[in-house]
Amino acid sequence: MQSSRGFTIIELMITIVVLAVLISIAAPSFQRVIEDNRVTTQVNEFIAAVNTARSEAIRVGGAVSLIARGGGTFLSGWCIQGGTGAACVAGSEIFVHAAMQNVVVTGGTNRFVFERLGEMTVPAAMVTLTVRPQSCPPGDWRMRRITVIPSGRPSVERIQCPP
């Protein structure tokens, strides 16, 4: 009886080709999972910031603001600070968050102000923001709508990407 020691070069080449085919099939769907998780994570961080600002306003018994950094959208990051200021002031922030990565943020406002009872006073009406991955084919359910009502409570729902 002859004993086998290892693989032949042909067996190794066939195994590598099969592995390459499997990876090429799985890679696009894995990219989609990464993008979906990125959107979910960044939306959850934003919801946590809204809840933190609201809770802080109740805790201190006064106004607390959640402000988009740089005066732009929340895509460029945000800060939470005491008072009703319209811009992040270095050194007075309670919390600072870095810019969102590889997503698109639309709609809404660039500032929320919560008063001592946790109610939102700026803006005075319901606010809606949307967050989606940079590639969001029409009809795909990867977009999130964040709604903050005047009582200060945020909610999130998954919606279809627009055509």
Side-chain angles (χ1 to χ4, degrees), residues 39-40 42-48 50 74 78 100 105-109 112 126-132 143-149 153-159:
V39 169
T40 300
Q42 294 186 27
V43 165
N44 288 342
E45 288 172 350
F46 184 77
I47 292 295
V50 170
F74 288 103
W78 57 81
M100 293 183 177
V105 179
T106 56
T109 182
F112 294 94
M126 181 175 76
V127 176
T128 302
L129 291 95
T130 59
V131 180
R132 66 174 176 81
M143 192 167 174
R144 305 296 190 284
R145 178 185 299 138
I146 302 169
T147 304
V148 183
I149 59 175
R153 292 191 180 265
S155 64
V156 178
E157 66 180 309
R158 183 181 290 242
I159 60 174

Side-chain angles (χ1 to χ4, degrees), residues 56-136:
E56 188 67 12
I58 294 168
R59 188 185 72 78
V60 300
V64 172
S65 299
L66 172 62
I67 307 164
R69 292 176 70 191
T73 67
F74 288 103
L75 180 62
S76 41
W78 57 81
C79 73
I80 299 172
Q81 65 185 26
T84 60
C88 297
V89 178
S92 68
E93 298 111 338
I94 298 167
F95 179 79
V96 176
H97 190 278
M100 293 183 177
Q101 301 294 316
N102 301 315
V103 296
V104 176
V105 179
T106 56
T109 182
N110 62 357
R111 176 172 70 127
F112 294 94
V113 177
F114 299 95
E115 294 297 336
R116 64 183 183 86
L117 297 176
E119 296 168 337
M120 182 175 67
T121 58
V122 175
M126 181 175 76
V127 176
T128 302
L129 291 95
T130 59
V131 180
R132 66 174 176 81
Q134 289 176 335
S135 63
C136 195

